[in-house]
Amino acid sequence: MNSTKGSGTTSTLRKVVHLTAGLIIFLLSLWVSRPLLLVFMTLGGVFAFATFNLKAFRTLHHTPRQSRGTLFYPIGVVAAFLLLYNKPILYFQTSLMILTISDTVASWAGKIKPGNIRFNTYRDEKSLFGAVGFAL
């Protein structure tokens, strides 16, 4: 399931893709119409679902722990866009940046080992540093 370089490399790749996709969507929201932006985001979501079980994309989608984050992220982005469709675009851009940046910071901060307190939420293990990173 992991890349040959280890789960840290796989996780880092996933977060870089996550961050890059969010920033691209943000930039597109400045330049293209809302209907076209919805088409691009929907195509990205379809790509994520279509490639989820393909071996060639395993490094992008799978982690040592069971995660469907690469599927929930596009769903969350499209849902936020649709909920805020008739509001000023700044509302969507703000929620997108929270999803994009806070999740990435939380992931990276959660990997800090010394002094980090771990706890369980439903099925996932979380960390104090990750929670604080997300909140900031």
Side-chain angles (χ1 to χ4, degrees), residues 98 101-112 115-121 124-136:
I98 290 169
I101 295 171
S102 295
D103 186 57
T104 304
V105 169
S107 175
W108 287 336
K111 289 183 180 24
I112 298 170
N116 204 349
I117 298 168
R118 304 231 174 248
F119 56 93
N120 291 319
T121 59
D124 293 330
E125 182 181 83
K126 302 294 181 185
S127 73
L128 178 62
F129 292 171
V132 170
F134 185 87
L136 295 177

PDB file of all heavy atoms in Angstrom, residues 98 101-112 115-121 124-136:
ATOM      1  N   ILE A  98      -9.867  27.034   4.068  1.00  0.00           N
ATOM      2  CA  ILE A  98      -9.885  26.327   5.353  1.00  0.00           C
ATOM      3  C   ILE A  98      -9.701  24.830   5.115  1.00  0.00           C
ATOM      4  O   ILE A  98      -8.888  24.184   5.768  1.00  0.00           O
ATOM      5  CB  ILE A  98     -11.184  26.627   6.127  1.00  0.00           C
ATOM      6  CG1 ILE A  98     -11.171  28.076   6.608  1.00  0.00           C
ATOM      7  CG2 ILE A  98     -11.356  25.664   7.304  1.00  0.00           C
ATOM      8  CD1 ILE A  98     -12.492  28.564   7.152  1.00  0.00           C
ATOM      9  N   ILE A 101      -5.806  24.445   3.432  1.00  0.00           N
ATOM     10  CA  ILE A 101      -4.626  24.768   4.235  1.00  0.00           C
ATOM     11  C   ILE A 101      -4.689  24.143   5.625  1.00  0.00           C
ATOM     12  O   ILE A 101      -3.730  23.520   6.080  1.00  0.00           O
ATOM     13  CB  ILE A 101      -4.420  26.297   4.311  1.00  0.00           C
ATOM     14  CG1 ILE A 101      -4.115  26.831   2.907  1.00  0.00           C
ATOM     15  CG2 ILE A 101      -3.308  26.646   5.296  1.00  0.00           C
ATOM     16  CD1 ILE A 101      -4.107  28.333   2.784  1.00  0.00           C
ATOM     17  N   SER A 102      -5.829  24.271   6.304  1.00  0.00           N
ATOM     18  CA  SER A 102      -5.923  23.756   7.670  1.00  0.00           C
ATOM     19  C   SER A 102      -5.732  22.243   7.731  1.00  0.00           C
ATOM     20  O   SER A 102      -5.075  21.734   8.637  1.00  0.00           O
ATOM     21  CB  SER A 102      -7.268  24.137   8.288  1.00  0.00           C
ATOM     22  OG  SER A 102      -7.365  25.532   8.422  1.00  0.00           O
ATOM     23  N   ASP A 103      -6.310  21.521   6.787  1.00  0.00           N
ATOM     24  CA  ASP A 103      -6.158  20.071   6.778  1.00  0.00           C
ATOM     25  C   ASP A 103      -4.704  19.668   6.550  1.00  0.00           C
ATOM     26  O   ASP A 103      -4.195  18.749   7.188  1.00  0.00           O
ATOM     27  CB  ASP A 103      -7.064  19.457   5.711  1.00  0.00           C
ATOM     28  CG  ASP A 103      -7.045  17.949   5.758  1.00  0.00           C
ATOM     29  OD1 ASP A 103      -7.354  17.393   6.827  1.00  0.00           O
ATOM     30  OD2 ASP A 103      -6.709  17.330   4.737  1.00  0.00           O
ATOM     31  N   THR A 104      -4.026  20.369   5.656  1.00  0.00           N
ATOM     32  CA  THR A 104      -2.618  20.074   5.377  1.00  0.00           C
ATOM     33  C   THR A 104      -1.741  20.384   6.587  1.00  0.00           C
ATOM     34  O   THR A 104      -0.895  19.573   6.975  1.00  0.00           O
ATOM     35  CB  THR A 104      -2.147  20.866   4.145  1.00  0.00           C
ATOM     36  OG1 THR A 104      -2.999  20.559   3.041  1.00  0.00           O
ATOM     37  CG2 THR A 104      -0.714  20.542   3.788  1.00  0.00           C
ATOM     38  N   VAL A 105      -1.953  21.545   7.206  1.00  0.00           N
ATOM     39  CA  VAL A 105      -1.181  21.915   8.400  1.00  0.00           C
ATOM     40  C   VAL A 105      -1.436  20.917   9.529  1.00  0.00           C
ATOM     41  O   VAL A 105      -0.510  20.491  10.213  1.00  0.00           O
ATOM     42  CB  VAL A 105      -1.508  23.361   8.841  1.00  0.00           C
ATOM     43  CG1 VAL A 105      -0.929  23.669  10.214  1.00  0.00           C
ATOM     44  CG2 VAL A 105      -1.000  24.360   7.815  1.00  0.00           C
ATOM     45  N   ALA A 106      -2.695  20.525   9.709  1.00  0.00           N
ATOM     46  CA  ALA A 106      -3.035  19.558  10.759  1.00  0.00           C
ATOM     47  C   ALA A 106      -2.310  18.233  10.533  1.00  0.00           C
ATOM     48  O   ALA A 106      -1.797  17.633  11.480  1.00  0.00           O
ATOM     49  CB  ALA A 106      -4.542  19.338  10.802  1.00  0.00           C
ATOM     50  N   SER A 107      -2.270  17.795   9.298  1.00  0.00           N
ATOM     51  CA  SER A 107      -1.593  16.539   8.986  1.00  0.00           C
ATOM     52  C   SER A 107      -0.107  16.621   9.300  1.00  0.00           C
ATOM     53  O   SER A 107       0.456  15.721   9.933  1.00  0.00           O
ATOM     54  CB  SER A 107      -1.802  16.194   7.516  1.00  0.00           C
ATOM     55  OG  SER A 107      -1.072  15.045   7.171  1.00  0.00           O
ATOM     56  N   TRP A 108       0.523  17.671   8.853  1.00  0.00           N
ATOM     57  CA  TRP A 108       1.957  17.809   9.091  1.00  0.00           C
ATOM     58  C   TRP A 108       2.269  18.031  10.575  1.00  0.00           C
ATOM     59  O   TRP A 108       3.206  17.448  11.108  1.00  0.00           O
ATOM     60  CB  TRP A 108       2.546  18.906   8.221  1.00  0.00           C
ATOM     61  CG  TRP A 108       2.646  18.502   6.776  1.00  0.00           C
ATOM     62  CD1 TRP A 108       2.709  17.228   6.289  1.00  0.00           C
ATOM     63  CD2 TRP A 108       2.676  19.353   5.632  1.00  0.00           C
ATOM     64  NE1 TRP A 108       2.773  17.241   4.917  1.00  0.00           N
ATOM     65  CE2 TRP A 108       2.763  18.526   4.479  1.00  0.00           C
ATOM     66  CE3 TRP A 108       2.638  20.722   5.454  1.00  0.00           C
ATOM     67  CZ2 TRP A 108       2.823  19.035   3.192  1.00  0.00           C
ATOM     68  CZ3 TRP A 108       2.691  21.232   4.164  1.00  0.00           C
ATOM     69  CH2 TRP A 108       2.787  20.392   3.049  1.00  0.00           C
ATOM     70  N   ALA A 109       1.478  18.848  11.261  1.00  0.00           N
ATOM     71  CA  ALA A 109       1.702  19.092  12.693  1.00  0.00           C
ATOM     72  C   ALA A 109       1.446  17.821  13.501  1.00  0.00           C
ATOM     73  O   ALA A 109       2.117  17.562  14.495  1.00  0.00           O
ATOM     74  CB  ALA A 109       0.807  20.224  13.192  1.00  0.00           C
ATOM     75  N   GLY A 110       0.500  17.017  13.047  1.00  0.00           N
ATOM     76  CA  GLY A 110       0.186  15.775  13.745  1.00  0.00           C
ATOM     77  C   GLY A 110       1.297  14.756  13.705  1.00  0.00           C
ATOM     78  O   GLY A 110       1.331  13.823  14.509  1.00  0.00           O
ATOM     79  N   LYS A 111       2.218  14.899  12.774  1.00  0.00           N
ATOM     80  CA  LYS A 111       3.332  13.961  12.648  1.00  0.00           C
ATOM     81  C   LYS A 111       4.494  14.296  13.587  1.00  0.00           C
ATOM     82  O   LYS A 111       5.429  13.518  13.709  1.00  0.00           O
ATOM     83  CB  LYS A 111       3.804  13.923  11.199  1.00  0.00           C
ATOM     84  CG  LYS A 111       2.802  13.228  10.302  1.00  0.00           C
ATOM     85  CD  LYS A 111       3.316  13.136   8.900  1.00  0.00           C
ATOM     86  CE  LYS A 111       2.379  12.458   7.955  1.00  0.00           C
ATOM     87  NZ  LYS A 111       0.981  12.431   8.250  1.00  0.00           N
ATOM     88  N   ILE A 112       4.429  15.440  14.237  1.00  0.00           N
ATOM     89  CA  ILE A 112       5.475  15.804  15.197  1.00  0.00           C
ATOM     90  C   ILE A 112       5.384  14.836  16.371  1.00  0.00           C
ATOM     91  O   ILE A 112       4.320  14.647  16.951  1.00  0.00           O
ATOM     92  CB  ILE A 112       5.299  17.261  15.678  1.00  0.00           C
ATOM     93  CG1 ILE A 112       5.428  18.226  14.499  1.00  0.00           C
ATOM     94  CG2 ILE A 112       6.307  17.587  16.787  1.00  0.00           C
ATOM     95  CD1 ILE A 112       5.042  19.657  14.828  1.00  0.00           C
ATOM     96  N   GLY A 115       6.375  15.167  22.537  1.00  0.00           N
ATOM     97  CA  GLY A 115       5.396  15.958  23.265  1.00  0.00           C
ATOM     98  C   GLY A 115       3.989  15.949  22.698  1.00  0.00           C
ATOM     99  O   GLY A 115       3.101  16.597  23.241  1.00  0.00           O
ATOM    100  N   ASN A 116       3.767  15.243  21.623  1.00  0.00           N
ATOM    101  CA  ASN A 116       2.455  15.234  20.986  1.00  0.00           C
ATOM    102  C   ASN A 116       1.552  14.214  21.678  1.00  0.00           C
ATOM    103  O   ASN A 116       1.925  13.066  21.857  1.00  0.00           O
ATOM    104  CB  ASN A 116       2.583  14.900  19.500  1.00  0.00           C
ATOM    105  CG  ASN A 116       1.434  15.414  18.678  1.00  0.00           C
ATOM    106  OD1 ASN A 116       0.418  15.859  19.207  1.00  0.00           O
ATOM    107  ND2 ASN A 116       1.584  15.352  17.374  1.00  0.00           N
ATOM    108  N   ILE A 117       0.368  14.638  22.075  1.00  0.00           N
ATOM    109  CA  ILE A 117      -0.597  13.765  22.740  1.00  0.00           C
ATOM    110  C   ILE A 117      -1.543  13.205  21.694  1.00  0.00           C
ATOM    111  O   ILE A 117      -2.087  13.944  20.872  1.00  0.00           O
ATOM    112  CB  ILE A 117      -1.390  14.551  23.808  1.00  0.00           C
ATOM    113  CG1 ILE A 117      -0.435  15.078  24.871  1.00  0.00           C
ATOM    114  CG2 ILE A 117      -2.490  13.690  24.414  1.00  0.00           C
ATOM    115  CD1 ILE A 117      -1.059  16.087  25.803  1.00  0.00           C
ATOM    116  N   ARG A 118      -1.746  11.898  21.703  1.00  0.00           N
ATOM    117  CA  ARG A 118      -2.614  11.233  20.734  1.00  0.00           C
ATOM    118  C   ARG A 118      -3.927  10.827  21.400  1.00  0.00           C
ATOM    119  O   ARG A 118      -3.958  10.474  22.573  1.00  0.00           O
ATOM    120  CB  ARG A 118      -1.925  10.002  20.171  1.00  0.00           C
ATOM    121  CG  ARG A 118      -0.576  10.348  19.560  1.00  0.00           C
ATOM    122  CD  ARG A 118      -0.449   9.811  18.175  1.00  0.00           C
ATOM    123  NE  ARG A 118       0.785  10.279  17.587  1.00  0.00           N
ATOM    124  CZ  ARG A 118       0.837  11.135  16.588  1.00  0.00           C
ATOM    125  NH1 ARG A 118      -0.252  11.597  16.057  1.00  0.00           N
ATOM    126  NH2 ARG A 118       1.992  11.524  16.087  1.00  0.00           N
ATOM    127  N   PHE A 119      -5.020  10.904  20.613  1.00  0.00           N
ATOM    128  CA  PHE A 119      -6.337  10.483  21.111  1.00  0.00           C
ATOM    129  C   PHE A 119      -7.153   9.947  19.952  1.00  0.00           C
ATOM    130  O   PHE A 119      -6.855  10.210  18.790  1.00  0.00           O
ATOM    131  CB  PHE A 119      -7.057  11.646  21.818  1.00  0.00           C
ATOM    132  CG  PHE A 119      -7.212  12.877  20.959  1.00  0.00           C
ATOM    133  CD1 PHE A 119      -8.361  13.079  20.211  1.00  0.00           C
ATOM    134  CD2 PHE A 119      -6.210  13.844  20.927  1.00  0.00           C
ATOM    135  CE1 PHE A 119      -8.508  14.219  19.431  1.00  0.00           C
ATOM    136  CE2 PHE A 119      -6.347  14.991  20.137  1.00  0.00           C
ATOM    137  CZ  PHE A 119      -7.505  15.174  19.398  1.00  0.00           C
ATOM    138  N   ASN A 120      -8.182   9.171  20.274  1.00  0.00           N
ATOM    139  CA  ASN A 120      -9.012   8.546  19.251  1.00  0.00           C
ATOM    140  C   ASN A 120     -10.334   9.294  19.104  1.00  0.00           C
ATOM    141  O   ASN A 120     -10.930   9.704  20.106  1.00  0.00           O
ATOM    142  CB  ASN A 120      -9.295   7.082  19.586  1.00  0.00           C
ATOM    143  CG  ASN A 120      -8.045   6.247  19.471  1.00  0.00           C
ATOM    144  OD1 ASN A 120      -7.257   6.411  18.553  1.00  0.00           O
ATOM    145  ND2 ASN A 120      -7.843   5.342  20.419  1.00  0.00           N
ATOM    146  N   THR A 121     -10.756   9.455  17.852  1.00  0.00           N
ATOM    147  CA  THR A 121     -12.071  10.003  17.539  1.00  0.00           C
ATOM    148  C   THR A 121     -12.736   9.041  16.571  1.00  0.00           C
ATOM    149  O   THR A 121     -12.257   8.848  15.456  1.00  0.00           O
ATOM    150  CB  THR A 121     -11.972  11.394  16.884  1.00  0.00           C
ATOM    151  OG1 THR A 121     -11.220  11.297  15.690  1.00  0.00           O
ATOM    152  CG2 THR A 121     -11.330  12.399  17.807  1.00  0.00           C
ATOM    153  N   ASP A 124     -10.508   7.123  13.936  1.00  0.00           N
ATOM    154  CA  ASP A 124      -9.214   7.725  13.614  1.00  0.00           C
ATOM    155  C   ASP A 124      -8.433   8.105  14.858  1.00  0.00           C
ATOM    156  O   ASP A 124      -9.004   8.486  15.877  1.00  0.00           O
ATOM    157  CB  ASP A 124      -9.404   8.985  12.769  1.00  0.00           C
ATOM    158  CG  ASP A 124      -9.947   8.705  11.394  1.00  0.00           C
ATOM    159  OD1 ASP A 124      -9.667   7.615  10.856  1.00  0.00           O
ATOM    160  OD2 ASP A 124     -10.649   9.568  10.846  1.00  0.00           O
ATOM    161  N   GLU A 125      -7.110   8.022  14.740  1.00  0.00           N
ATOM    162  CA  GLU A 125      -6.245   8.547  15.781  1.00  0.00           C
ATOM    163  C   GLU A 125      -5.864   9.972  15.389  1.00  0.00           C
ATOM    164  O   GLU A 125      -5.464  10.227  14.257  1.00  0.00           O
ATOM    165  CB  GLU A 125      -4.975   7.702  15.921  1.00  0.00           C
ATOM    166  CG  GLU A 125      -4.076   8.211  17.032  1.00  0.00           C
ATOM    167  CD  GLU A 125      -2.806   7.405  17.178  1.00  0.00           C
ATOM    168  OE1 GLU A 125      -1.859   7.680  16.430  1.00  0.00           O
ATOM    169  OE2 GLU A 125      -2.785   6.514  18.042  1.00  0.00           O
ATOM    170  N   LYS A 126      -6.026  10.887  16.310  1.00  0.00           N
ATOM    171  CA  LYS A 126      -5.699  12.293  16.090  1.00  0.00           C
ATOM    172  C   LYS A 126      -4.616  12.694  17.075  1.00  0.00           C
ATOM    173  O   LYS A 126      -4.250  11.942  17.976  1.00  0.00           O
ATOM    174  CB  LYS A 126      -6.944  13.175  16.286  1.00  0.00           C
ATOM    175  CG  LYS A 126      -8.098  12.815  15.374  1.00  0.00           C
ATOM    176  CD  LYS A 126      -7.755  13.079  13.943  1.00  0.00           C
ATOM    177  CE  LYS A 126      -8.928  12.725  13.038  1.00  0.00           C
ATOM    178  NZ  LYS A 126      -8.620  12.850  11.651  1.00  0.00           N
ATOM    179  N   SER A 127      -4.103  13.919  16.913  1.00  0.00           N
ATOM    180  CA  SER A 127      -3.093  14.397  17.853  1.00  0.00           C
ATOM    181  C   SER A 127      -3.397  15.827  18.254  1.00  0.00           C
ATOM    182  O   SER A 127      -4.078  16.573  17.545  1.00  0.00           O
ATOM    183  CB  SER A 127      -1.700  14.340  17.219  1.00  0.00           C
ATOM    184  OG  SER A 127      -1.563  15.368  16.258  1.00  0.00           O
ATOM    185  N   LEU A 128      -2.901  16.189  19.422  1.00  0.00           N
ATOM    186  CA  LEU A 128      -3.096  17.549  19.921  1.00  0.00           C
ATOM    187  C   LEU A 128      -2.476  18.563  18.973  1.00  0.00           C
ATOM    188  O   LEU A 128      -3.103  19.572  18.630  1.00  0.00           O
ATOM    189  CB  LEU A 128      -2.496  17.685  21.326  1.00  0.00           C
ATOM    190  CG  LEU A 128      -2.586  19.070  21.948  1.00  0.00           C
ATOM    191  CD1 LEU A 128      -4.044  19.475  22.119  1.00  0.00           C
ATOM    192  CD2 LEU A 128      -1.853  19.100  23.279  1.00  0.00           C
ATOM    193  N   PHE A 129      -1.241  18.322  18.510  1.00  0.00           N
ATOM    194  CA  PHE A 129      -0.583  19.271  17.616  1.00  0.00           C
ATOM    195  C   PHE A 129      -1.347  19.410  16.306  1.00  0.00           C
ATOM    196  O   PHE A 129      -1.445  20.497  15.732  1.00  0.00           O
ATOM    197  CB  PHE A 129       0.859  18.845  17.338  1.00  0.00           C
ATOM    198  CG  PHE A 129       1.774  18.929  18.530  1.00  0.00           C
ATOM    199  CD1 PHE A 129       3.045  18.409  18.452  1.00  0.00           C
ATOM    200  CD2 PHE A 129       1.386  19.494  19.724  1.00  0.00           C
ATOM    201  CE1 PHE A 129       3.914  18.473  19.538  1.00  0.00           C
ATOM    202  CE2 PHE A 129       2.234  19.560  20.816  1.00  0.00           C
ATOM    203  CZ  PHE A 129       3.495  19.048  20.729  1.00  0.00           C
ATOM    204  N   GLY A 130      -1.895  18.304  15.811  1.00  0.00           N
ATOM    205  CA  GLY A 130      -2.680  18.355  14.586  1.00  0.00           C
ATOM    206  C   GLY A 130      -3.950  19.162  14.768  1.00  0.00           C
ATOM    207  O   GLY A 130      -4.323  19.975  13.906  1.00  0.00           O
ATOM    208  N   ALA A 131      -4.645  18.969  15.895  1.00  0.00           N
ATOM    209  CA  ALA A 131      -5.877  19.723  16.174  1.00  0.00           C
ATOM    210  C   ALA A 131      -5.592  21.214  16.291  1.00  0.00           C
ATOM    211  O   ALA A 131      -6.334  22.053  15.765  1.00  0.00           O
ATOM    212  CB  ALA A 131      -6.545  19.188  17.429  1.00  0.00           C
ATOM    213  N   VAL A 132      -4.505  21.551  16.977  1.00  0.00           N
ATOM    214  CA  VAL A 132      -4.130  22.965  17.113  1.00  0.00           C
ATOM    215  C   VAL A 132      -3.734  23.533  15.750  1.00  0.00           C
ATOM    216  O   VAL A 132      -4.112  24.650  15.404  1.00  0.00           O
ATOM    217  CB  VAL A 132      -2.991  23.137  18.148  1.00  0.00           C
ATOM    218  CG1 VAL A 132      -2.422  24.544  18.115  1.00  0.00           C
ATOM    219  CG2 VAL A 132      -3.497  22.785  19.542  1.00  0.00           C
ATOM    220  N   GLY A 133      -2.989  22.759  14.975  1.00  0.00           N
ATOM    221  CA  GLY A 133      -2.608  23.200  13.623  1.00  0.00           C
ATOM    222  C   GLY A 133      -3.817  23.482  12.758  1.00  0.00           C
ATOM    223  O   GLY A 133      -3.859  24.461  12.016  1.00  0.00           O
ATOM    224  N   PHE A 134      -4.842  22.641  12.832  1.00  0.00           N
ATOM    225  CA  PHE A 134      -6.061  22.852  12.053  1.00  0.00           C
ATOM    226  C   PHE A 134      -6.766  24.119  12.509  1.00  0.00           C
ATOM    227  O   PHE A 134      -7.232  24.922  11.705  1.00  0.00           O
ATOM    228  CB  PHE A 134      -7.002  21.661  12.182  1.00  0.00           C
ATOM    229  CG  PHE A 134      -8.217  21.772  11.312  1.00  0.00           C
ATOM    230  CD1 PHE A 134      -8.174  21.314  10.005  1.00  0.00           C
ATOM    231  CD2 PHE A 134      -9.385  22.357  11.767  1.00  0.00           C
ATOM    232  CE1 PHE A 134      -9.277  21.430   9.180  1.00  0.00           C
ATOM    233  CE2 PHE A 134     -10.499  22.474  10.951  1.00  0.00           C
ATOM    234  CZ  PHE A 134     -10.442  22.016   9.648  1.00  0.00           C
ATOM    235  N   ALA A 135      -6.826  24.335  13.832  1.00  0.00           N
ATOM    236  CA  ALA A 135      -7.543  25.490  14.384  1.00  0.00           C
ATOM    237  C   ALA A 135      -6.868  26.811  14.051  1.00  0.00           C
ATOM    238  O   ALA A 135      -7.543  27.839  13.907  1.00  0.00           O
ATOM    239  CB  ALA A 135      -7.679  25.339  15.896  1.00  0.00           C
ATOM    240  N   LEU A 136      -5.546  26.785  13.923  1.00  0.00           N
ATOM    241  CA  LEU A 136      -4.841  28.031  13.617  1.00  0.00           C
ATOM    242  C   LEU A 136      -5.115  28.436  12.201  1.00  0.00           C
ATOM    243  O   LEU A 136      -5.160  29.523  11.795  1.00  0.00           O
ATOM    244  CB  LEU A 136      -3.340  27.876  13.846  1.00  0.00           C
ATOM    245  CG  LEU A 136      -2.935  27.633  15.290  1.00  0.00           C
ATOM    246  CD1 LEU A 136      -1.430  27.420  15.372  1.00  0.00           C
ATOM    247  CD2 LEU A 136      -3.339  28.779  16.182  1.00  0.00           C
TER     248      LEU A 136
END
